[in-house]
Amino acid sequence: MIPLAMRRDLDRLATEHFDLLVVGAGGHGVFAAADASRRGLRVALVDAGDIGGATTGNSLRTMHGGVRYLQYLQLGRTLESIREQALLRAMAPDYTEALPFLMPSSGWGLRGPLGLFAGLNIHQALRLATTHGINGGQHLPRSRVLSRTRYTERVPGIDVEHLSGGALWHEVQLLDSGALCVALAQEAARQGACVANYVRVDALNYQGERCRGARCTDVLTGAALNIEAAHTLNAAGPWATDFYTATAPVKPLPVALNDSMNVLLRERLFEGQAVAIPSSRRVEGEAVAAANRMYFAVPWRGRTVVGTVQERWVDGPTCVRDHPHHLAAFLADLNGAMPAAGLTADDVAHVYWGRVPTEDAPTETGELRRNAREVIDHRERDGVGGLHTIVGVKLTTARAVAEQAIDAVVQESDRAFVAGDTAALRLPPPPQDLSRPSAEAFAARAALRERLELAQREEMVLCRDDFLLRRTDLGVLGSWAELSAAARELIAATLPEGPAPLVHSHP
């Protein structure tokens, strides 16, 4: 079996000269590191927190195939989403599964049964044409439209104004975004990359008109280190702007942020299917049609993840929103659509919350633009070579965006590298069944001890939250107090509490 171990080697980080430093080990960063290392680049991948532990971990557990983009006639985004969804399904079959989605239709216009029927069939034709060479005929099930009676039989208890039926289609459920990120980081390490979590980039190093790496801090010890690299890729997501100030050679980078929240409920609301729940709030943004927001209730490990709530980030980079009030408003919105549910804060097992880049990003002149994702070449923008920034908003297309970024890095390099091949990557199975709650898999003390040892040896687990919140769901489906005394004793004896997280994840 191919070894999966990742070793946090800070001496190597500080002494080796790398071809590429990737800042940020979320979805875009780990795909970029895996892509670059497979091409033969000497890669360093660092993150101020844990691998996949911030924005990427705030997930609804779905990889959408672009149905909503087709509704707004965004054909290019639709085709890219369809292709990348299929590639991820082929790349990581043990991390994904097909999941039916149900959405109500209202009235008899474009949002009625006939309009949905036309849209779903166009999307189905695009999917068949786009993914045949990827799936070899193993396509997701066909979409269809349901009558009002059939819809209410499958989805009882949701109050929909002018209900006229429903749409049924399939998406790909990503069972664990953190496990996917760890697997991609392990792939980069297998190819020779130096991977380290809890290494914070404080400032970029500039020599003349080039970026030459970064000055960093080991978050666990406070020790300073310098990473030398011919190229740097900033994939820090909401924190990408932290490195570009008025005094740096690179102009401040305008990236609008949203306050994003997904909520894990203790019960499964709808068995075996994801269900769209209409909201009383309106969609924001000039680039979308006027309509009420639509939340999705997604089944996951016997529970339900509901979201996503998106609000403009208005507090500033270091402030924290009033979470109890924010959560109460969301639950009230859900109860308005599902009066019989009677959801309260006691029904919430976990809250995923944090900042995410938004598609309505301002330009340097302050005007809003619609830009789903972007790879910024700072040689063209600022006259600084060896530096690129990824602005990405969607995990589904992270592989393609990362490939575009590494293509740009290679084009600027004076060395020859092989072409990117992450589209053909096949990830090995994860160390546990991702559709099964961890409490069931590791109920026995010996099984829990074995999983702890593997997490430390092969997955770069350094503190308790790494294990409880990201390598397993022991701290997500339940609280620390709900674990058995024996489990708490074993985990506490094995792992330190560790540093404070970058995002707040608890209700």
Side-chain angles (χ1 to χ4, degrees), residues 203-227:
L204 300 180
N205 290 329
Y206 300 99
Q207 294 180 7
E209 297 180 344
R210 287 194 66 83
C211 179
R212 296 290 185 179
R215 299 188 299 278
C216 308
T217 298
D218 178 3
V219 175
L220 302 182
T221 67
L225 66 151
N226 189 68
I227 302 177

Side-chain angles (χ1 to χ4, degrees), residues 62 64 97-103 140-144 146 154-155 167-173 270-276 296-299:
T62 54
H64 285 288
E97 64 183 21
L99 181 68
F101 274 64
L102 281 165
M103 184 171 69
L140 294 172
R142 294 188 65 86
S143 306
R144 56 195 175 95
L146 305 177
R154 295 190 61 154
V155 189
L168 171 64
W169 76 99
H170 284 73
E171 299 282 13
V172 172
Q173 181 169 34
F270 305 101
E271 187 68 30
Q273 58 192 9
V275 173
F296 282 92
V298 180

Side-chain angles (χ1 to χ4, degrees), residues 39-330:
R39 299 194 201 201
L41 281 77
R42 298 186 300 270
V43 176
L45 170 65
V46 300
D47 195 288
D50 191 22
I51 298 168
T55 301
T56 301
N58 181 11
S59 168
L60 194 57
R61 310 295 194 279
T62 54
M63 309 295 282
H64 285 288
V67 171
R68 68 188 179 98
Y69 300 141
L70 188 61
Q71 182 181 2
Y72 305 127
L73 303 179
Q74 298 172 346
L75 184 59
R77 296 186 69 184
T78 302
L79 292 173
E80 181 184 52
S81 296
I82 289 172
R83 173 178 167 77
E84 292 303 317
Q85 183 193 62
L87 284 173
L88 181 71
R89 189 179 173 210
M91 174 191 302
D94 299 293
Y95 299 76
T96 59
E97 64 183 21
L99 181 68
F101 274 64
L102 281 165
M103 184 171 69
S105 61
S106 299
W108 300 97
L110 291 176
R111 302 182 187 280
L114 292 179
L116 289 176
F117 178 80
L120 289 177
N121 275 276
I122 292 172
H123 187 269
Q124 186 77 25
L126 293 174
R127 175 178 277 165
L128 292 173
T130 304
T131 64
H132 181 76
I134 300 171
N135 294 325
Q138 300 299 314
H139 297 289
L140 294 172
R142 294 188 65 86
S143 306
R144 56 195 175 95
V145 173
L146 305 177
S147 67
R148 174 173 177 165
T149 300
R150 189 74 182 97
Y151 174 82
T152 54
E153 287 175 351
R154 295 190 61 154
V155 189
I158 293 185
D159 186 11
V160 180
E161 187 177 4
H162 308 304
L163 178 67
S164 54
L168 171 64
W169 76 99
H170 284 73
E171 299 282 13
V172 172
Q173 181 169 34
L174 178 60
L175 296 171
D176 195 314
S177 60
L180 177 68
C181 286
V182 169
L184 288 165
Q186 288 173 330
E187 169 62 21
R190 278 196 295 274
Q191 302 297 331
C194 185
V195 181
N197 51 2
Y198 298 107
V199 172
R200 183 184 68 241
V201 171
D202 299 315
L204 300 180
N205 290 329
Y206 300 99
Q207 294 180 7
E209 297 180 344
R210 287 194 66 83
C211 179
R212 296 290 185 179
R215 299 188 299 278
C216 308
T217 298
D218 178 3
V219 175
L220 302 182
T221 67
L225 66 151
N226 189 68
I227 302 177
E228 295 185 3
H231 300 268
T232 298
L233 176 61
N234 182 354
W239 296 274
T241 60
D242 291 359
F243 315 123
Y244 308 139
T245 65
T247 59
V250 176
K251 298 190 296 291
L253 185 67
V255 176
L257 299 176
N258 272 359
D259 178 13
S260 176
M261 182 175 71
N262 290 287
V263 174
L264 176 64
L265 301 178
R266 296 185 182 276
E267 302 295 332
R268 176 170 288 184
L269 295 180
F270 305 101
E271 187 68 30
Q273 58 192 9
V275 173
I277 302 174
S279 166
S280 60
R281 299 186 183 186
R282 302 293 285 179
V283 172
E284 296 179 1
E286 298 178 358
V288 296
N292 284 5
R293 296 185 185 183
M294 198 73 79
Y295 303 126
F296 282 92
V298 180
W300 182 69
R301 295 181 187 170
R303 309 293 178 93
T304 303
V305 184
V306 188
T308 299
V309 183
Q310 296 274 10
E311 302 286 351
R312 290 291 187 197
W313 179 267
V314 295
D315 293 329
T318 61
C319 297
V320 175
R321 183 181 286 275
D322 178 5
H323 292 97
H325 174 77
H326 199 36
L327 178 61
F330 177 50

Side-chain angles (χ1 to χ4, degrees), residues 1-7 12 29-41 43 45 51 91-92 95 178-195 399 418-429 458-460:
M1 182 177 179
I2 300 174
L4 302 178
M6 292 186 293
R7 188 166 72 91
R12 182 185 170 197
V30 292
F31 266 115
D35 187 321
S37 60
R38 288 171 65 86
R39 299 194 201 201
L41 281 77
V43 176
L45 170 65
I51 298 168
M91 174 191 302
Y95 299 76
L180 177 68
C181 286
V182 169
L184 288 165
Q186 288 173 330
E187 169 62 21
R190 278 196 295 274
Q191 302 297 331
C194 185
V195 181
R399 188 212 66 83
V418 300
D421 68 345
T422 51
L425 176 62
R426 298 296 179 263
L427 295 176
E458 299 182 359
E459 298 175 325
M460 205 174 285

